Amino acid sequence: MSVRKYKLVGVAMLVLGLLRPAWAESVRSSVSQGNRLYAGGNFNEAISKYDQALLEKPDASEPKFNKANSYYRLDDLAGAMELYREVASESKDMKLVAKARYNLGNCYFNEGLKQRDSNLEKALEGLKNSIGHWRQVLEIEPENEKAAKNIEVTRLIIKDIIDQLNKQKQQQEQQAAKQKQLQDKLKELLDKQKALAGRTQDTKNQADKGDISQEQASKKYSEQAGEQSQLKQETEQISQELRQQQDPNNPPPPQMQQAAGELDQASVNQADAQDRLNASDGGKARESEDKAVEHIENALKALSEGGQQNQQQQQQQQQQQESQQQDANQPQDANEPQEQQANKKETAAPDATAEEILNREQQQRKERQMLQRGGYQKVEMDW
């Protein structure tokens, strides 16, 4: 029995020994097929093959890295970043870890470039992260010239963005100062319009009570019509100044639009009040003057709310810029961008630098033909 038992154990071990090479060969075959599909630009099909390899060996880093590269080529940066992080944290192969972090930096770099035209703060965040990953590459491979060069290039981009933000801040401060002047003018205009409405009512009351003659009332109304004409000119001037505040390259803030629109309505009411005063119709004139007061108050309210929002935005931007300037000097977490491809079928050079990516991105922005794309490391290991 004992001899028979040992024979059975030996057979089992032999079977396992035969299965193991077959299993490994299956994984290698899936990865190899995926690599060929990848090289041909068939990135979705390549992902399917890498998935097959990962089903058989879930802890394998190489097919996971290659799958991340495929996502990168498809411009699915989020999918690529997740896999690069897994490879960087799980792999025991430090060379592969360095490449994963390098490509993870590519993702952050390209993410930053994509945000550059729409959100400078987010662009800074992505570029800052890219520098951090390249620093981690240098910790593993101090001689990696591409990572070092990319850090240098990206810092220049960060400085340029910070300069743009500072310029925006200066423009906002100038606009806020001008807006404060306009608010003060509106307050003064409002006080004048209210005072004129009060005098119009006094004249009407005196005429109704017989305290003054009709001729005296007409003379006062005529004087008040002249005052109303002057206030109308001031209203139109302020409305024009509000519109001059607007940058022709950017849509005007809604508060500015609303304030200008309210003043336009006030001007219409002021013109009507002037006509009524010239006609010695104090009652109707007072009604139009009250409407003008209401519109001026609405304009002042809209302008005040816009000023408060601008102040809050300036404070937030100042805090973000202070934090980003510190991070630009002491970056935290990111990796180096590689080259961009003109289209999905173009093979990206594995040794491209951030400078090359930037040049291609600038060219693509000028041509406006397609979104910028980044390069990445070549597919690893057929196993």
Side-chain angles (χ1 to χ4, degrees):
M1 293 294 294
S2 177
V3 173
R4 183 180 180 184
K5 178 180 178 181
Y6 285 126
K7 287 182 178 180
L8 290 175
V9 172
V11 171
M13 292 180 64
L14 177 60
V15 171
L16 289 174
L18 292 173
L19 288 176
R20 188 177 302 274
W23 161 80
E25 180 61 31
S26 176
V27 174
R28 283 195 296 268
S29 175
S30 295
V31 172
S32 179
Q33 292 176 49
N35 291 350
R36 285 194 293 271
L37 290 166
Y38 177 96
N42 301 311
F43 305 119
N44 284 311
E45 292 83 349
I47 289 173
S48 297
K49 293 299 180 181
Y50 298 139
D51 282 337
Q52 290 181 13
L54 289 170
L55 281 175
E56 299 184 58
K57 196 172 190 303
D59 60 343
S61 296
E62 287 78 7
K64 191 175 293 186
F65 179 84
N66 295 351
K67 181 180 176 182
N69 288 347
S70 299
Y71 277 133
Y72 192 97
R73 281 292 189 104
L74 293 169
D75 203 27
D76 183 353
L77 296 181
M81 291 164 78
E82 181 179 357
L83 291 170
Y84 285 138
R85 290 192 191 98
E86 291 181 13
V87 173
S89 62
E90 296 171 0
S91 178
K92 306 302 182 184
D93 182 350
M94 295 309 295
K95 184 176 180 180
L96 185 59
V97 169
K99 290 183 177 181
R101 292 205 171 278
Y102 184 88
N103 288 359
L104 188 56
N106 280 1
C107 295
Y108 278 113
F109 184 83
N110 281 277
E111 222 174 34
L113 292 182
K114 288 181 178 181
Q115 294 288 345
R116 199 171 178 183
D117 291 332
S118 58
N119 191 318
L120 290 177
E121 285 81 8
K122 287 187 177 180
L124 272 181
E125 182 180 355
L127 295 174
K128 175 189 67 176
N129 285 337
S130 68
I131 288 179
H133 279 294
W134 297 328
R135 282 181 169 271
Q136 292 180 10
V137 172
L138 291 175
E139 290 176 1
I140 301 171
E141 299 176 348
E143 73 288 354
N144 193 313
E145 295 181 359
K146 291 185 296 180
K149 179 64 176 178
N150 285 347
I151 291 174
E152 182 180 337
V153 170
T154 305
R155 278 188 168 180
L156 294 176
I157 300 174
I158 287 176
K159 182 181 181 300
D160 181 64
I161 292 177
I162 291 177
D163 289 343
Q164 291 181 53
L165 286 171
N166 288 334
K167 184 177 180 180
Q168 287 183 358
K169 179 184 176 183
Q170 183 180 10
Q171 291 174 342
Q172 289 172 350
E173 289 174 347
Q174 292 173 349
Q175 182 177 356
K178 183 64 175 178
Q179 193 164 315
K180 178 64 167 56
Q181 294 177 358
L182 291 174
Q183 285 179 270
D184 292 340
K185 288 184 178 181
L186 276 178
K187 290 177 182 177
E188 183 179 354
L189 175 64
L190 180 60
D191 291 340
K192 290 179 180 179
Q193 186 66 69
K194 286 181 177 180
L196 178 57
R199 289 195 296 276
T200 299
Q201 186 63 49
D202 289 342
T203 301
K204 181 179 184 302
N205 292 340
Q206 290 174 353
D208 290 343
K209 293 178 180 179
D211 294 340
I212 59 175
S213 66
Q214 187 63 40
E215 182 179 352
Q216 290 174 318
S218 296
K219 183 178 179 180
K220 286 190 175 183
Y221 283 140
S222 180
E223 293 174 352
Q224 290 159 8
E227 293 180 41
Q228 186 62 86
S229 176
Q230 180 62 36
L231 292 182
K232 179 176 178 293
Q233 291 179 16
E234 292 182 20
T235 301
E236 292 172 346
Q237 178 63 33
I238 296 174
S239 177
Q240 184 178 359
E241 290 183 32
L242 274 171
R243 289 184 166 87
Q244 289 174 349
Q245 284 281 290
Q246 299 167 4
D247 184 350
N249 296 321
N250 296 313
Q255 295 86 357
M256 303 284 275
Q257 286 183 305
Q258 182 181 352
E262 292 288 350
L263 291 182
D264 290 342
Q265 290 297 317
S267 178
V268 172
N269 296 131
Q270 289 168 332
D272 184 69
Q274 181 181 347
D275 291 340
R276 299 290 186 177
L277 288 168
N278 284 326
S280 297
D281 188 349
K284 293 295 185 180
R286 175 60 194 268
E287 290 179 8
S288 294
E289 289 170 340
D290 287 342
K291 290 179 181 178
V293 166
E294 181 180 353
H295 286 299
I296 295 173
E297 287 176 336
N298 290 340
L300 182 59
K301 181 180 179 181
L303 203 58
S304 299
E305 291 176 350
Q308 291 174 357
Q309 291 182 3
N310 288 337
Q311 186 176 6
Q312 292 174 354
Q313 290 176 356
Q314 289 177 20
Q315 291 174 349
Q316 292 174 355
Q317 289 180 357
Q318 183 176 0
Q319 293 173 354
Q320 290 173 345
Q321 288 177 37
E322 289 174 354
S323 173
Q324 287 157 353
Q325 284 173 337
Q326 293 175 357
D327 290 334
N329 295 327
Q330 297 179 349
Q332 297 176 354
D333 183 38
N335 234 305
E336 163 179 18
Q338 304 175 1
E339 97 303 352
Q340 296 174 329
Q341 50 186 11
N343 55 60
K344 291 184 179 179
K345 291 184 178 180
E346 179 185 347
T347 301
D351 59 348
T353 65
E355 190 171 16
E356 292 170 333
I357 302 175
L358 179 62
N359 290 338
R360 185 170 298 183
E361 183 267 345
Q362 290 173 339
Q363 180 182 357
Q364 290 178 347
R365 288 175 63 191
K366 290 179 181 179
E367 296 173 352
R368 295 185 179 181
Q369 293 179 344
M370 58 193 66
L371 295 174
Q372 62 262 42
R373 302 188 183 281
Y376 34 80
Q377 297 288 352
K378 63 183 179 181
V379 175
E380 292 299 310
M381 302 184 186
D382 282 351
W383 280 28

